[in-house]
Structure formats: structure tokens, C-alpha cells
Amino acid sequence: MDPTQLLDDCERAWREAGEPSAVDRTDSVVRRTALVMEALVAYVLFAKRSGLPWDTVFTRWPACTVHAVALSTQRESPGLADLLSEARARVVTARPELGRRRAASKAATDDEVWLTAAQEAARSLGWTWRPPTIADLPDAPSLVPAPQVVTAPPELRLGPGAGSVLLALPGGPDAAGWQLAADGESFAASPPHWVLPGPVRRVEATDPAGTVHASAVVDPDTVLLAFAADGHRLPLDEPLPAAEVHLLHVGTLETEGGPAAVVELPTPYGWSGWTLSQVSLADVTRLRTSGAAPGRWLEVAVGRSFGWEGGVTLPWLAGEDGAPVWNRRPALRLRRRPGEPEAQHWQVEVRRPGHETVLACRTGAPGALLDPWEHVPGPLLGPYEILVHRPGRRGRRRLSAFLAEGVEATPSAEWRLLAPQGGLVPTRLDLRSGGPVTVSRSAVEFAPYETTRDLVLRDGTRGFRVQALVPYSEVRLELDGSPLPWSIRPLDIDAADLARDSALTVRLPEQAVAVTPELVLVVEGTTLVSLQPERRVRTRKGDLRYSLAALTDTVRDCAKAELRLLVAGQDVHVGTVRTQPIAEGVVPDGTGLLLRGLRHPGELTARLYQVLAPWRQPLSVPVDGSGRIPLSAAWRSAGPLVVSLHAGTHTADAAPAWPSLRDRDTLVLRRSPWTSSVVDGTAAARTTEYLGGRGTLPRGTDAVPYQWIVAARGRDLQECGAKETAPAECVQALGEAGPDALLGAADSSLRSGELAAALVGSGLAALRIREVTDPVAVRPVWRRAPLCALLLTAPLLPYLSGDPAYQIDELYPEEKELLDEVGQFLGSAGTEILSGQDDPSRTVGRFDGHARALNELPEIQQQAVWRTAGVVPRGLLDTDTRTAAAWQAFRDRRTLQYYTVREECEEWLTAVGNFLDDGHPLLATAFRDREPGTLRSPGEAWMRVPQFSLGCALIARIAAAGNPRAVKLERGLRSLWASVAVHTPDLTAVDLALAECLVTAETVQTTG
């Protein structure tokens, strides 16, 4: 259908349905306005992509335009700019290709353009309408500009209960989503927060308006994060306060000036290898952790430091990100360092988050205690942002506080214990308020499986959402030393995981452990094993950790066993140990799916992935007691599905990755009806058609991200019912796309490791790039696909060598900015290699006698040897990252044996060695450093993998430099290299980066 005809039909339907009044603010009208606004924005974006004038939508849909804009400019409305931004975000979420830079349209969210368009549309209809001004609004103060709304930067903080590290995202629960990039991985998140899946060096958050906010997280030199008692992060470029703080660190704490009172808490979710300590710094002058670089001490404030003093918080209420709620406002202590003159005053500004309007401004001398809200009219309710800075200086400190003056809360119990059959003991929270402040509920009843309830505090004109909660007991599982999320439900534990250095941690009130609770294994009513908690002197008394490895042999012949905790006279069910999968299979069943052979008795969540659209976010659906998974019509006709089963309720904390088909709790529904969804001809829809066996592979830059995803997950897609030849055709298409394919990888949201195998198979690893034609376009690729960005930046790498022949001052500013990204991605080892120094970690990753000895150990001991690898996020070529990549290859050594035992592998290794010996001494040395030594038998052929991987990468990067012999050799070994790279993605990524640095260093030596 012609787009303009579609617009005319939509306009006619709108007029026939009746046009709402501009003063009607009912929920139905608000929803209808938002829906129409979203449609209008989508048409503007589609028009831009289709080559139509962007204002076509306004001329073809005039009545819709006028009413949507008119209703959006009413005083009670959030505002036209906000509605446009939210509408655009929803459209981009549904159609990611419309959010890319080449397809974006400024007109889609420019409120001035929309106001002008609405006036023109009204004129064409013969209506009289003009945009309202401040003077038109009732009770509006004259000559006072409307507050400028801006997006506040995200804030790193310690999550509720210190169970996670999260990034607090500004915006309400219905606000548009954010795009995040963390050390080369892409994530999508929505307010109020995003839980970090583990330690990262840096997070870049792009708000719905397109503004990028950068947040440094882990500094590998200090390996320590500091948080105030209320969970807010403390900057390490200022002295830490001489008070009680939470420190998240690697290694043991070392102090000077006096001892620190330390209590160790359970490690936050995802932060394996780190320690969370509650520390009093009252007598400490400076501190460091044993894992920090030499000399990296952190000072503790001798004088006064920034912080809240006085005031009273409501322990039963919290902001949406876990921030405390103050019902008596605190005072702000201004920082004062020893010897600092009192004449250098601080300036304190009070604002609302996201607004530039200053509500109050005060000044104070260093060390003074002042009330920032003294001149702010009451009642004081909601979040406030405090900016503290020196007049005339650029740096400033940002603090925040949520106030709720006049609100009181009283619980029926100060701690909720675990109930015997699961969940928590029910409790009640009574709330009271005074003056103009009101609470949406006067009493909150917490059911067994409720930990928080949403409340709204109002001051008569505005409402602010808070969470009501009572501290509670919870349990969690650790596997291989990595903590999983906390749960109030009995845990579902696969018996096969018990041997993986597993442990169960229970959090109880301290008064409940006067008698040490026992953890018992019960089978058919009989207690078989009794476990005592580990004795950990410096931990919180109520946090009990039980090692589960001793249960491995006991449960081997049991169909099911229960873990029960004997505490405070109660027998509490805390876990079920399964020796069989959750379910045997899945089949279509009327309006959904049905699990066959369901063995899980508790709450269960199914996460569904579309095989024909593997780029879409999975759908999480609760499974009912009979094993049914209800689905909408769209999902019932989406084609083959991958169903990943998880015990308990769905949590949005962890970013869902593509599931492993080898997981026995992952099921595949191959024969499932599929209805074509191609309507607008987008690259995503056409790729779905292609995977379903209809049509040809879409080409063009907009199709490249989808080609990457199909190429990376091709084997799984083939196994699940997608087109058999799709992965090979996508790999070929990527190779033909050349540099455009490397640029498009940034939009695929794949990790560098996931991209590595496709880079190899497509020949892009050996792609020759003579110059960086558009540095501005390459720079964003460093955030989301850094390995591809490195290959695109390769022509500029010699300028990092320091050689006189390559003067960095010769480059344009954009090229210098591009090179600034290299060191951050590669790490210090990469910088040293590029400058002509020896590789400081040249033998890391080699499989020699140590790997042979490790192969003979039980798996649990192998895990212990490699446990420290990757604890601290570092550059790609630093020792820890290389060690973690080698460990990944070592774990898959039995599969790799199939490829490396072949005679052709040995022949290619010989050919690579001969080529490097002929004129490439630096590269030949690196290649020999990876030799495994003499193999004792053909069964040790897997030990050749690291040398083979590096040798292939060296040949590829020499080929990219234009060597014709290397080009021919790379084409011959590509097939075997791609097969190995599928099982060693991280090692392949490391070796490609290492090879590029070595080849660049050799080139500089030759030309210099």
C-alpha cells in the first residue's frame, strides 16, 4: 500500500471515531493521545527512510496532528517534548533500525517543528488554534520561565540490602529505555535502575534523547569501590569520610593510622572474587587493598568531608532505586581540609533531578553545617539534587536526598523470617502523614511472596513513588564461587551443579542465630546429612554460608531431595535438589505451550526466544501449576521457539543472553506455526522471512547487524529449524560488505567474543583497510564492537609507536581521538607492544606441562586454579584477560580435540611456522612462545590450540597488510580456523588483537 494512502485512511478512521475534546483529560484520552503520538512519530521516521518529505504525515493526517499536539500542551500534560521523546523511544524499541543515526530524523522529536506543523494543519482544516504561551496558562506567574527539563546523569550505587551494584537511571517506571555499553557489551535498560552483571571498567549510558553519559566503574589500579551508608557511591578522587562506609574490593584491606573495624558481607550478585566490607574509618588516615597497584593509597578525611548529618530516615520506605527516605531533613556538612582558609566558601544549590531551575542557593564556609532547604517552600517532598561547588571553578559534587517530611511508618515486626513452606512470614506496615502530604495507603499488608509494595506520596499537586519494605530473610546459591541473585523462594538446585564448588547462603536477623542453625538434607522424610555453617570470624553474624559439595554423592541416586534449615524452632524449606531436568519437552497446546514431564513443584518462569528473529528480546512468562505457558497470538505464530526454564519468578536484573542449547533445562519447539510479518519491508522483517525459507538474504547497510547475529548464532539456528544455508550465506555477505560490515557490528549488540568466529569465517579478519576514511563514524564502534573498531583503526596504529617516522601531531583531531580508545581497550600490554617493547605476557595462554597437569585434576580443583582469572576487568591483552580466554578454551578441550587431532592441523601449523621464519622474526618468536612442547600421545592434540589460534591470527593480519603469500595462506586455513574459533571465541579475539599489535610493531621497525 502507498504510505500516503495509508495516512489518509488513518485520518478518516480518526475523524469517524470522534475527536476528543482538548480539555478532556480522562485516562482513555491520555492513552489515545499517546498512541496517536507514537504513530505520528513512526510515520515521520518511516517517511525519512522512504525518501518522502518528513512533513507528509502532518498534511495527510491534519486532525490527528492538531489534537495530539493540543492535548500535549495542556498544563496537566508532561509536555510535548517529553511525549515526543517517549514516543520515539517506544518506536525505536519496536523497530531498532529506525533509531540508527543514518535513519534518525530531527523532526521526529523537535517540539517547535511540531507546533508549527499543527498550526499549518489547523489552518488547512479551517480551524483556529495557536500554541499556548505562559500567559495563557491559569495561575501562571508572569515573566518566570518554565523549568528546563534535562536528563540527569545515571548514578552508580549499592543496591538494596547490599545485594547488587546498580546504575540508577533517571525517569519514571514508564519512561523510555536507555541504551548501555559496558566494556564492549550492549544492553537495553529502563528506569529506575540497571543491575551490573559483574565488574566493568566503564559504562556509557545513552538516554532517550540521545545524550551519552559516561560512568567509570572499576579502576584496575585501585580495585576498590566505596559507598556511603545510604548506598551512594563515594568518589575516590576525594578523601573518604572518617565514618562507616561500604567497600567493595579485591584482596585484603590495609590501613594506616589505626585499625579499621571490618565486617564482611555477602558478595553482591555477579561480583565473584570481590569482597564487600562494612568498614568504620574513624581512626584510619589512609587505606588500600592488597590487589591495588603499588603506592595506590586512598586518603581518609582528617578534617571535615562532605556528607549528611542529623536528620531521621524511615527504614521502612525507600526510593525506587533503594535510596533512603528522610522524614526529618538532614544538614549538609561542607568539606574542610586541614589548613584550608575559611574565606573560600562553598556554594550549595538545590534542584529537582532533571531540572535546571534552582530552588534555593546558599553559601557556607569550609567545615560548616548548613540546611540546604532552609529557603525552599514546604512541604519538602520527593527527590532533591544538591550541587556543591566553588564559585568560579568547574568541578562540582552532586548529592541527592529523598525527603518526606511529616510521614511516619510503623511495622508489626522489624524483620520478616522465612516461612516453613516457603516465602516470608506475613507482616503489616502502618503509615501516617501530616499537613498537606498524603500517602496512597494507610496500611500495607505484605503477603508471603511480597518484599516491597509501591506507594505514592503526594503534596497536593505532585505525586512521588516510593517502596514500602520490611527487612527480610533470603537465600541464594553460589556456583564456582559466583553468587546468583537472592531469593525468598526455596531454591531449585540441579544435582549436577553440586560438584561445581557450590554453596548456599542464608541471611537471618542476628538474634535468630544464638543457636547455630543446621542445614539438613531430607529424602522422603528422612534426614541423611546435616551441615554446619562455615566459621567466618569477620562476617555479619546473621549471614550463614553452607558448602554443598559434600552432598554430591548422597543425592546421586535420589530422584529429589529437600534442603531444610533448622532455625529458631522452625523447620524451613530452603531448597530442592533435582537429579533430573525440570521438564522433558514442550509442545503447542491451544493458546500456548505445554511442558511435558514437568518435575518442578514450585514457581517456574519460561523465557522464550524467537528462532526466526534471534535479535528480539526474549519473552518471560510464568508457568502455571499444570505446566502451561500462555502466549499471545503473535507469539503462537512466531515460528520455532527456544524455551529456557528458570525456577522462581522472572527478574529483570540480569540481562538475558542467548541460551545454551546444551543446558538440559533449555527446550526447543522446532515445529511451530509461523505467519509472515513482513509489512513495511524493514531489514529485520525481511531477514525473518529469509530465515523462514522465503525470499533471499537482505543486503545493504541496514541488514548488516542482522547478518552478524545470524552468523554468530548460526549453528543453534540451524538446529532449531531456521534455513539450513543461512549462516554460511550471512558469513559470505559480511565478507562482501567489507568495512561496512565492521561498522554495522556496533548495532548487533554482540560481544567481541561472539563476533570473533564470524570475523574469521567471513575473511574480515584479513580485510585490508588502507586508511581510516571516517574517524567520526568509527569512534562509536569502540563502545559496542571494540574488536571490529580495532581492525578499522589499524592504519593509524603505527602512530602509537613513538617512532619518529610516525609523528602523532600529523594527525587530524578526530584521528587522535580515535587513537585514545586503543589503549583503553587493549590495556597496558598492547601499548607496550605497539611501542616496540617485548610482550610482557607472551607465554600466557600456552598449553604446556601445566595444562597437562591441570587436565589430570578433578574439575572442582581445576576451577580453584583458574578462579582469579577475570576478577578485575582489564584490557584485552592484559594477563588476566588472556588467562580467562585460555581457561575458556581449556574447558572445551574435548571438543577441540576433534579438530586438532587431524593431520591437516599439523600441516597448517608447519606451513605457518615456515612462513613466519621467512622474514618475520618478531612474529615467529611470538608463534614459538605458544608451542605446547612434545606431545605424549595423539590424545593431547588439544594442546596445540593456542599456538594454532595465534598463528592463524598472525597470517590474517599480515594478509591485511597486503602480503600476497599471506593472503593465499589465510584462505587455505580459514575453514579450520573458523571451526576452532567457534569454541574459543575469547581466545580468538585476544589473538586477533595481539596479532595486530605485533604486525604493526614489525611494520614500524621495518619502515623506521
Side-chain angles (χ1 to χ4, degrees), residues 314 317 381 404-409 429-444 453-460 462 464 466 468:
L314 286 168
L317 294 182
L381 181 67
E405 288 192 328
V407 178
E408 301 289 341
L429 183 66
D430 294 312
L431 297 117
R432 299 178 302 278
S433 61
V437 177
T438 60
V439 185
S440 58
R441 294 173 180 265
S442 60
V444 177
R453 292 286 295 274
D454 287 342
L455 298 173
V456 177
L457 306 180
R458 298 187 180 277
D459 59 5
R462 292 166 299 182
F464 301 96
V466 296

Side-chain angles (χ1 to χ4, degrees), residues 476-610:
R476 78 169 178 189
L477 186 67
E478 293 181 26
L479 296 177
D480 300 331
S482 299
L484 303 182
W486 289 97
S487 174
I488 60 172
R489 298 179 179 275
L491 299 175
D492 178 88
I493 305 172
D494 193 327
D497 291 334
L498 293 178
R500 296 173 53 191
D501 192 12
S502 57
L504 183 140
T505 301
V506 184
R507 172 166 285 175
L508 298 170
E510 295 191 4
Q511 59 268 30
V513 295
V515 177
T516 304
E518 287 186 325
L519 184 68
V520 296
L521 181 73
V522 179
V523 177
E524 296 180 353
T526 303
T527 299
L528 298 185
V529 180
S530 177
L531 301 176
Q532 294 289 327
E534 298 177 353
R535 295 188 177 276
R536 310 173 79 186
V537 179
R538 300 175 65 179
T539 59
R540 177 183 170 276
K541 189 176 180 182
D543 293 329
L544 307 176
R545 186 176 186 272
Y546 299 84
S547 176
L548 302 181
L551 305 179
T552 304
D553 294 333
T554 305
V555 301
R556 185 165 295 157
D557 299 324
C558 303
K560 186 178 70 173
E562 286 187 355
L563 288 173
R564 308 192 71 88
L565 186 72
L566 308 182
V567 55
Q570 298 284 341
D571 183 356
V572 180
H573 180 205
V574 294
T576 299
V577 182
R578 287 184 297 105
T579 57
Q580 298 172 316
I582 292 177
E584 294 178 355
V586 60
V587 295
D589 179 50
T591 59
L593 305 177
L594 178 65
L595 296 177
R596 285 184 170 176
L598 180 63
R599 300 185 181 92
H600 187 273
E603 192 159 345
L604 191 64
T605 299
R607 193 174 286 157
L608 279 68
Y609 300 78
Q610 295 185 32

Side-chain angles (χ1 to χ4, degrees), residues 2-40:
D2 181 77
T4 55
Q5 180 63 45
L6 183 60
L7 285 169
D8 290 342
D9 293 342
C10 291
E11 171 76 0
R12 188 179 305 108
W14 167 276
R15 301 288 288 273
E16 291 174 354
E19 298 158 0
S21 169
V23 296
D24 188 355
R25 299 302 302 171
T26 61
D27 289 344
S28 62
V29 172
V30 172
R31 287 195 297 270
R32 184 177 176 188
T33 303
L35 181 62
V36 172
M37 186 71 72
E38 183 177 339
L40 287 165

